[in-house]
Each structure stands twice: as structure tokens, then as C-alpha cells.
Amino acid sequence: MAAAGSGAEEAAAGGDGGPPVPPAAPGRAQVFATVVDTFLEKLVAAGSYQRFANCYRCFYKLQPEMTRSIYDQFISQLQTSIKEEIQEVKDEGNLEVLFNSLDKIVEEAKNQEEPAWRPSGIPEEDICSAMVPYLLKHRSYLRKVLKEKEEENRKVAESVLAGRDGIAELQQLIQARKHAWQAISKEQRELMRTFKEPQ
């Protein structure tokens, strides 16, 4: 029996006699839920029925059962309201996804061999090491935006020049037609004079 018991213990510890596998740490979402539950428990403990009854002592002496019922309803509605508010905050902030994402990042960081960044103790160097990559990235972005704007301005300028050329051509065409019309009118007037001259 003792051997069987020790075998069961070994199986529970690791199965093959190896080191016991530590239980998985709770995720941040679970920790957050535990914190909320603990807060509600402490809130209920702080607002105990005895304190509630002391606040409404006269009513408690007249209707103790009713006082208890009111207290139970008040606590129940308070807990429900707080849970709903917290759930609304979680939904609006998408906290569940963020917690899971943070857990994933922490889990992936455990397998990294390179040490995490630590401050050197020299603020100037730390600021440079932190800001330079960001500034370089921002400069690259600004250059890209500038190039796009320059290309856009070039196309707009070409469009404006093309419009001006079109307007100039149209003005020339109008002027040519005006001259042609004036010439035709002159010829018509001269022709009319020849018909009107006495024979």
C-alpha cells in the first residue's frame, strides 16, 4: 500500500520522477476579476448589516425583518451595479483582449535570450537611446509625407499649366474667329456697296 501511495504521489508530482510542474500563473484577466471580487467582499464587509441597522436604528426596532430585507436588496443591487459598471469599462476599453495580449507578450519574453533594456544611469544617453529610433522613424514618415505632397503639388501644377494652355488656345481660337468674322463682315459691306453704286 505504501508503494502504491508513493507511486501515486510520484505520478501527481511529475509522472516520471522528474521535478514537479509548477501550476500555471493566472492570467491578468483572472487577476483583475479576483481583485474586483475581493473589492466587493470588502465593500460588503465594510457596509455590514450591523452598521446599516445602527444607521436606521428606529426603523430597525420597529421592523427588523423589513430592515434586513431592505439591506439585502441594497447590497445585491449595489454589487450588481458595480459589476455592470466594471464590465462596461472592460468592454469599452477592450480590457479582455489587452490583458490576453499582455499575457502573450510576457510569455514570449520569457524565451528571449537577450537581456531586457535597463537604464544606464546617464539620463542623456538613455533619452538618446529611447528617442533616436522614434525620431528617425518620425523623420522617415515626414519625408514620405513630404514626397507625397511634392508629387501632389507637381500634379496640381501640371494641371494648372495645362488649364492655362487650354485657356490660351481658346483665347487664340476666339481671336482668330473674331478676325475671320470681321473679315467676312468687311467683305459683305464692300459687296453691298458695289450693289448700291449707281450704274
Side-chain angles (χ1 to χ4, degrees):
M1 294 296 291
S6 63
E9 291 175 358
E10 289 180 1
D16 55 356
V21 179
R28 282 165 175 76
Q30 185 177 351
V31 172
F32 182 78
T34 303
V35 169
V36 171
D37 292 339
T38 303
F39 165 74
L40 289 176
E41 290 176 2
K42 291 185 177 181
L43 180 64
V44 172
S48 64
Y49 174 67
Q50 187 62 40
R51 290 185 177 180
F52 185 82
N54 288 336
C55 290
Y56 302 96
R57 190 173 304 167
C58 296
F59 184 76
Y60 169 72
K61 290 179 179 179
L62 295 173
Q63 296 286 345
E65 294 181 359
M66 181 66 72
T67 305
R68 182 70 193 192
S69 176
I70 293 173
Y71 170 78
D72 292 340
Q73 291 181 19
F74 170 73
I75 292 298
S76 176
Q77 292 180 4
L78 179 63
Q79 289 177 324
T80 301
S81 177
I82 292 174
K83 287 181 179 179
E84 289 176 353
E85 288 287 339
I86 292 175
Q87 187 61 43
E88 186 176 344
V89 171
K90 288 174 64 177
D91 294 340
E92 289 181 357
N94 203 16
L95 296 185
E96 196 77 24
V97 175
L98 294 177
F99 284 147
N100 293 335
S101 176
L102 184 57
D103 289 338
K104 184 178 179 182
I105 292 173
V106 172
E107 191 64 28
E108 291 175 352
K110 292 180 180 178
N111 300 325
Q112 292 182 354
E113 297 181 357
E114 297 181 0
W117 181 86
R118 294 290 183 272
S120 64
I122 305 175
E124 292 82 1
E125 293 182 1
D126 294 338
I127 291 175
C128 288
S129 64
M131 292 297 294
V132 166
Y134 167 77
L135 294 175
L136 290 175
K137 184 178 179 180
H138 191 60
R139 184 180 68 177
S140 176
Y141 168 76
L142 292 177
R143 284 179 174 175
K144 180 181 177 182
V145 172
L146 178 61
K147 188 175 181 181
E148 291 175 354
K149 291 298 180 183
E150 288 177 345
E151 181 66 18
E152 182 179 343
N153 291 339
R154 185 184 65 80
K155 291 181 179 179
V156 171
E158 290 178 355
S159 177
V160 171
L161 291 175
R164 288 178 179 175
D165 292 341
I167 292 173
E169 290 177 2
L170 185 59
Q171 287 177 340
Q172 290 176 0
L173 180 61
I174 292 172
Q175 195 70 21
R177 290 185 177 181
K178 178 182 177 183
H179 291 325
W181 175 256
Q182 289 175 346
I184 292 173
S185 297
K186 184 178 181 181
E187 289 178 359
Q188 287 179 346
R189 286 194 299 270
E190 291 177 353
L191 186 61
M192 291 296 293
R193 285 198 200 99
T194 56
F195 285 130
K196 291 181 179 179
E197 287 178 358
Q199 298 295 330

